[in-house]
Amino acid sequence: MEATGRNRKLVPDQHLVEKLTEKRQMDSQVQKDTESEMEMDIARTFEDMMRVPVQFYRSIGEDIYAHRSTSPWRSLLLHIYLYAGFINFNLLVIGELVFFYKSIQDFETIRLAIAVAPCIGFSLVADFKQLAMVYYKQTLIKLLDELEEMHPKTLERQRAYRMADFERTMKRVINIFTFLCLAYTTTFSFYPALKASVKFNFLGYETFDRNFGFLIWFPFDATSSNLVYWIVYWIIAHGAYLAGIAFLCADLLLIVVITQICMHFSYISMRLEEHPCEPGRDKENVEFLVWIIRYHDKCLILCEHVNSLYNFSLLLNFLMASMQICFIAFQVTESTVEVIIIYCIFLMTSMVQVFLVCYYGDTLIATSLQVGDAAYNQKWFQCGKTYCQMLKMLIMRSQKPASIRPPTFPPISLVTYMKVISMSYQFFALLRTTYSDN
């Protein structure tokens, strides 16, 4: 009876414990939701928007904000690390070029030349992008400083700019492209060592295959011993990482900058369309339009800075991309399954990279053209003659859209992407036909 009584007394205690546990879990969830809402209510700084490209650049020794650094020794060490990395990387590129030259001498090894060609193209584009960043460093600093000055600082202004929508799209694009780019360099770098390790340690192979992920000519035997092999292997892996980051970050920086400029164009359009144009308040209307015109002109100047930074590197990018996609597609149709998988990642990276540049170029054109439409859609007929004349000049200027313009190329848009893919297919068809005939 006593045991039964004790058990009965324990029952409400257990229910009490369960209720307390549930209450704590609910309180914890409420606290997390509250913290999440508080984070959403915190104004985003320009540094927050720039965080991903800045951090990746620093991982290879490039500091975009080195002019603001308070530690000269840290800046010096980063410069040494950057230059040492690029010297190593360019020596590897020379090795690839020598391998390519030796391979095209004989038809039996022509497929090896085709296999290394996309890697050479990728490396040259990465090299040129980094050189452009160094050569136009002052233009880049000026561009980022002006964008930071124009960035909406308060949460209220950021909501007016609809910054959260622009940032959400930008983050998704950055995550996808970063994953693909790093997946390509990681797969090429580490797949041979991983494959050899599995075969040697788990499948009972007697020898460890000392292969590299990239086809490079060396003036010495890079597989003569384990020590030499692994030293060379990690040198190649670092060179591949540096190339991937240099290639990736230039485009991430372009995405962030174009997103910011499009946000400003969109805000100008919204303010123009929402302006009441009240009759009898000509002075206020003219002052508003003067502010809009100056704001619009500043955005157009920022676009010219972007063109100064990217015009030649994007020209080389598109030319190389056409050849890369062609050679990669050929490898996919003429190789084993494992090689096909690796080169499919490379193919997706190349196609997505070209698409993103063209997509943001197209978005820039569209948002800048909206300014003229918004100006026409307001109730301008209620305003004075001076206001209408100024508005007419703004509409005329907006008919020439802001754009990214590589030399000899039309302004970059989704039409450009179609042309690059079409050119790649033509090269691929020619290469496939020539190879099949021989």
Side-chain angles (χ1 to χ4, degrees), residues 29-40:
Q29 185 63 40
V30 169
Q31 185 178 358
K32 287 180 181 177
D33 292 341
T34 305
E35 289 175 357
S36 178
E37 289 175 3
M38 288 175 65
E39 286 177 1
M40 290 174 63

Side-chain angles (χ1 to χ4, degrees), residues 328-347:
I328 295 169
F330 182 83
Q331 282 296 112
V332 168
T333 59
E334 297 288 337
S335 300
T336 60
V337 174
E338 60 183 27
V339 174
I340 288 173
I341 293 172
I342 294 173
Y343 273 90
C344 274
I345 298 173
F346 195 0
L347 180 63

Side-chain angles (χ1 to χ4, degrees), residues 107 429-438:
F107 186 77
L430 177 62
L431 180 63
R432 186 74 185 275
T433 303
T434 304
Y435 186 82
S436 299
D437 291 343
N438 291 316

Side-chain angles (χ1 to χ4, degrees), residues 137-151:
K137 190 65 178 283
Q138 294 305 315
T139 304
L140 175 62
I141 291 171
K142 186 177 180 180
L143 171 64
L144 296 180
D145 286 346
E146 289 180 0
L147 278 172
E148 187 171 8
E149 182 185 348
M150 295 170 64
H151 184 78

Side-chain angles (χ1 to χ4, degrees), residues 222-429:
T223 59
S224 59
S225 68
N226 275 332
L227 178 62
V228 173
Y229 170 74
W230 284 113
I231 289 174
V232 173
Y233 199 98
W234 285 106
I235 287 174
I236 294 174
H238 180 267
Y241 176 76
L242 186 142
I245 294 300
F247 185 91
L248 168 70
C249 284
D251 291 327
L252 294 187
L253 194 61
L254 178 66
I255 289 169
V256 173
V257 168
I258 296 298
T259 298
Q260 291 276 315
I261 295 175
C262 288
M263 180 182 72
H264 290 294
F265 275 129
S266 178
Y267 181 71
I268 291 171
S269 301
M270 183 187 67
R271 289 296 304 271
L272 275 170
E273 202 153 4
E274 292 178 352
H275 185 63
C277 294
E278 297 178 6
R281 302 187 65 180
D282 290 344
K283 183 179 178 182
E284 289 82 354
N285 290 333
V286 169
E287 286 176 353
F288 165 78
L289 193 55
V290 167
W291 173 74
I292 285 288
I293 290 172
R294 288 175 178 170
Y295 193 0
H296 183 248
D297 186 59
K298 198 167 187 179
C299 291
L300 294 174
I301 292 172
L302 292 178
C303 292
E304 293 306 312
H305 291 334
V306 173
N307 276 295
S308 298
L309 273 171
Y310 283 96
N311 52 7
F312 284 103
S313 62
L314 286 178
L315 173 64
L316 179 65
N317 189 5
F318 285 136
L319 294 176
M320 287 294 181
S322 299
M323 302 301 293
Q324 279 177 249
I325 294 170
C326 161
F327 288 131
I328 295 169
F330 182 83
Q331 282 296 112
V332 168
T333 59
E334 297 288 337
S335 300
T336 60
V337 174
E338 60 183 27
V339 174
I340 288 173
I341 293 172
I342 294 173
Y343 273 90
C344 274
I345 298 173
F346 195 0
L347 180 63
M348 288 176 62
T349 304
S350 298
M351 293 183 70
V352 167
Q353 188 268 336
V354 175
F355 175 78
L356 288 180
V357 173
C358 294
Y359 169 78
Y360 275 94
D362 197 81
T363 304
L364 180 62
I365 292 172
T367 53
S368 64
L369 285 173
Q370 285 174 1
V371 174
D373 296 336
Y376 182 77
N377 288 336
Q378 66 176 201
K379 297 178 181 180
W380 48 267
F381 47 83
Q382 299 181 166
C383 299
K385 185 177 179 181
T386 304
Y387 182 91
C388 291
Q389 287 176 340
M390 292 172 63
L391 190 67
K392 181 181 177 181
M393 293 178 66
L394 175 63
I395 293 173
M396 290 174 63
R397 177 61 188 86
S398 65
Q399 298 309 300
K400 182 183 177 183
S403 60
I404 310 170
R405 304 178 302 276
T408 73
F409 260 66
I412 293 176
S413 65
L414 292 176
V415 176
T416 312
Y417 180 72
M418 295 170 60
K419 289 181 179 178
V420 170
I421 297 300
S422 175
M423 194 185 306
S424 300
Y425 178 76
Q426 292 171 11
F427 285 139
F428 167 73

Side-chain angles (χ1 to χ4, degrees), residues 5-209:
R6 287 174 185 169
N7 288 337
R8 286 176 181 171
K9 289 179 182 178
L10 287 172
V11 171
D13 291 342
Q14 290 174 352
H15 284 304
L16 182 60
V17 170
E18 290 175 0
K19 287 180 180 179
L20 287 171
T21 304
E22 289 178 2
K23 187 176 183 303
R24 285 172 186 165
Q25 289 176 349
M26 290 176 65
D27 291 343
S28 176
Q29 185 63 40
V30 169
Q31 185 178 358
K32 287 180 181 177
D33 292 341
T34 305
E35 289 175 357
S36 178
E37 289 175 3
M38 288 175 65
E39 286 177 1
M40 290 174 63
D41 288 340
I42 297 173
R44 305 282 289 168
T45 64
F46 185 72
E47 287 78 7
D48 293 331
M49 304 284 283
M50 288 286 296
R51 181 172 288 116
V52 175
V54 167
Q55 288 181 346
F56 272 123
Y57 259 137
R58 281 179 183 161
S59 70
I60 62 171
E62 177 65 86
D63 189 1
I64 296 176
Y65 292 111
H67 60 290
R68 300 181 184 178
S69 176
T70 56
S71 175
W73 283 105
R74 182 174 179 274
S75 298
L76 177 62
L77 290 173
L78 283 174
H79 273 89
I80 293 172
Y81 175 54
L82 176 67
Y83 291 132
F86 266 94
I87 289 170
N88 166 58
F89 166 62
N90 282 289
L91 289 174
L92 294 173
V93 174
I94 292 171
E96 286 183 326
L97 289 168
V98 173
F99 185 93
F100 177 81
Y101 175 76
K102 288 178 173 290
S103 299
I104 61 174
Q105 302 303 312
D106 188 354
F107 186 77
E108 296 298 324
T109 58
I110 194 70
R111 283 185 59 183
L112 294 175
I114 295 173
V116 76
C119 300
I120 293 173
F122 185 90
S123 301
L124 292 176
V125 172
D127 230 347
F128 199 85
K129 284 181 176 181
Q130 184 61 31
L131 285 173
M133 289 297 160
V134 173
Y135 186 77
Y136 293 106
K137 190 65 178 283
Q138 294 305 315
T139 304
L140 175 62
I141 291 171
K142 186 177 180 180
L143 171 64
L144 296 180
D145 286 346
E146 289 180 0
L147 278 172
E148 187 171 8
E149 182 185 348
M150 295 170 64
H151 184 78
K153 306 296 189 298
T154 64
L155 184 63
E156 184 180 355
R157 284 183 60 79
Q158 289 179 5
R159 285 173 177 164
Y161 277 78
R162 297 187 299 111
M163 197 180 90
D165 296 336
F166 286 94
E167 187 180 13
R168 192 180 303 113
T169 303
M170 182 191 75
K171 281 185 175 180
R172 289 172 182 168
V173 169
I174 286 176
N175 289 338
I176 292 170
F177 185 49
T178 301
F179 171 77
L180 285 173
C181 202
L182 294 182
Y184 151 65
T185 54
T186 303
T187 306
F188 266 77
S189 297
F190 297 110
Y191 176 73
L194 181 62
K195 178 183 175 182
S197 298
V198 170
K199 289 168 68 174
F200 182 72
N201 294 311
F202 300 104
L203 300 181
Y205 281 65
E206 296 181 357
T207 57
F208 185 94
D209 296 332

